Amino acid sequence: PVPAPAGATHPLAIGPVGAPEATVDGFVAQYLRNLNFDRGVTLSASTANDRFYALAYTVRDYLVARWLEGVRRYRASDRKAVCYLSAEYLLGRQLDNNLLASGLSDIAAEALAQCGVDIEELRAQEVEPGLGNGGLGRLAACFIDSLATMSVPNVGYGIRYEYGIFRQTFEDGRQVEQPDSWLELGSPWEFPHPEAAQTISFGGSTEKYDDGGVTRSRWVPAWSVQAVPYNYMVPGYQNGRVNTLRLWSSRANHAFDLSVFNAGDYVEAVRAQTFAENISKVLYPEDSTAQGKELRLQQQYFFVAASIRDFIDVVLPEDFDLTRLPERAIFQLNDTHPVIGVPELMRILVDEKKMEWDAAWAVTQQCFAYTCHTLLPEALEVWPIDLLGRLLPRHLEIIYRINEEFLLAVRERFGDDEARIRDMSIISPDGAVRMAFLATVAGSKVNGVAELHSQLLREKVLPAFDEFFPGKFTNVTNGVTPRRFVRLANPELSALITEAIGDGWLTDLERLRELEPFADDADFRTAFGEMKAANKRRLAATLQARDGLTIADDHMLDVMVKRLHEYKRQMLKLLHIVTAYDRIVSGEVEASSVPGRTFVFGAKAAPGYDMAKRIIHLINAVGSVVNDDPRVEGRLKVLFPPNYNVTLAERIIPAADLSEQISLAGKEASGTGNMKFALNGALTVGTDDGANVEIRELVGDDNFFLFGMSEPEVEALWARGYTPAEFAEKDAGLGRALDLIGSGAFSGGDASVFAPIVSNLMNDDRFMVLADYTSYIAAQDRVDDAYTDTAAWQRSAVLNVARSGFFSSDRSMRDYIDRIWHTEPLG
Ligand code: 73E
């Protein structure tokens, strides 16, 4: 029985008030109520934004009661919660997801139809919150979806960036970045709580003081800002569970510093406000690189300090005994970005709660776990000690002590092996804090994100730590949510699957195995082919309306969508296109004999990453030449719609025939796009890298186009000495493709535009594009052959779907629970 609040006599006051009736009439009434009472307009006078808002509010209204009930039940329990700490959440649009989760999709469609409202128009109104760069941020969004669907108590903690990932446009083929003002018209999904703001401090110094005979340290900060929580509902799939995503927004402490204001310096007074608000102003647009900028460290500490304090002070009961914190919370560190939480929890326990150091360290070590997402050296975060000491002096002291005690333990185990000590020190020889080391020392577990990546992490990057902490390293292969990336993105495929095997697969994706026999069923394959064709038409309509692009419907759709990064090797894809073009224009092959292919790219480059931006320019340049050359007779087509994001991914992936996963072996930690394509029945052309390895093992060699060096072969070639120009000499096709690019064939004869790309490949080629070219072209020739046998291709495509159930993020969550978190669902 729930106790009534003091003084309450009305039965409803116990709350939460129930949801509106889940009928068309109930929905219509609530919708019009929201339009009138929240937007203050009648239906006839409403704008599309009003109508979208009212719809979102209506969906919200159905979810809120369950949300509040869940929060209440969680607080009454003593369950452990997963506190997912992530600087990025790449959520995508919420409307359809929340309709699906609440089981209201059909009711809403009918209700809006009866109001004469076009639901498609309202869908298009929603601006997706792009609070992430790529895979890491999208993974966080998939994970919180799965946790809600599995009824696991979870709070996602992060930053409410006012500007998310930039909006990409092209000018003369070059990337231009525009600010992403996703909040311009407000967001109907957020619940701001300015009254629950927390003070987050920075700077100043530390001091020792006498605390009744005990000497203690404390932090005397110099300045502070407010962290305002914004809550978002994270509904499980039709299970009545709603978890919380809590994102922090920064605000000045006092809007106006009155003394400055009275002295007449109004501008100076407002400046303080701007300074504070800068902290959550913008998402750093670097993916898989670390910036080392002070504002970035401010962002990290800002959201992590607010989150830990929130969990301790707001979520846990008052006077909770913090020695038992590990029973109630696991803080999962999504890469090193939130690792400053480690010294922050130590500071709270030791300085504020006056716990003994050793006891506090025991608690901290059980409360954190660390996920590493990359091996690229440029992505491993380090903070110079002067910067860290200036911004967070007490945290630096704590890090020094953690390091001291850790190195002492290393000496005890291995003796005074100074080389080893240097290699393992959290403070690097050049005076920077190595955040991955700190996370590894502090975390109860460290995991990589695919089998190969976890193995390389243990054996190549942190072998000394693996030796020192046996059992600490583990793997959890990434996954993706089938609700968004199959059910919502591909309703036609979903209907086909459900018709064949029933509807249990959406929450138990391994059941897709039951589709295997249908791969040999000609009628099923035909229906599958029709599904692909329908998805291509839908994509064509989207690209036509969005960018004025057209796609031929008899072409194979060959797709490479992901961040632009040299290690992902968009250049290898481009060399294949240039080679296919060269074969036609040189007369080596008849255009009419070339199977039609449309190459689709989607990619943003970090604004400061010159080579990546040059490659974007080259993709567009090759596209304009190839697409307009009459000799090609339309057999090859290159499309590069700008501003690839989650919304566009949901259109492109279901239409794809071929998925390009062509990173240099050992460089792509996992990839998650690769999983989305396989689940939507695209075949992969890929290297033995990241989760490709597991995809190929599951779908089988016959249903996957493998090419390129393996990771050990890459290592061996480096060791032997890699001379890329030799590969250009050995393969005439490669030599010609490079010459075409280098000679200005795609830049109106101006060789200087793309010469830096060619010279980089010829002289450096860090990611061994040239070494894998020959093998890649051979694989693409096999693809062309295979595509001519429609039945065999479709059979492989169906088997890709049937055998990819492993890649559900529900399975990833089960693995985290079993191997790392040891939490239980709230029944
Ligand atoms: O392979 C992907 C992986 O699938 C990896 O590159 C990506 O994380 C995905 C999810 O595990 C990733 N992003 C970053 N590091 N790895 C990163 C680093 C710094 C800033 C932003 C993102």
Side-chain angles (χ1 to χ4, degrees), residues 88 135-136 139 286 288-289 337 373-374 449 478 567 668-671:
E88 303 189 9
L136 173 140
L139 187 77
E286 279 74 29
S288 305
T289 45
H337 318 148
H373 291 266
T374 178
V449 289
N478 283 166
Y567 83 81
E668 187 70 88
S670 163

Side-chain angles (χ1 to χ4, degrees), residues 88 133-137 139 284 286-290 296 334-335 337 371-376 379 381 449 478 567-568 667-675 690:
E88 303 189 9
N133 274 287
L136 173 140
L139 187 77
Y284 272 87
E286 279 74 29
D287 183 270
S288 305
T289 45
R296 172 90 176 168
N334 198 25
D335 215 90
H337 318 148
T371 305
C372 174
H373 291 266
T374 178
L375 302 173
L376 297 181
E381 278 188 307
V449 289
N478 283 166
Y567 83 81
K568 296 179 187 281
K667 301 299 179 194
E668 187 70 88
S670 163
T672 44
N674 47 2
M675 303 167 183

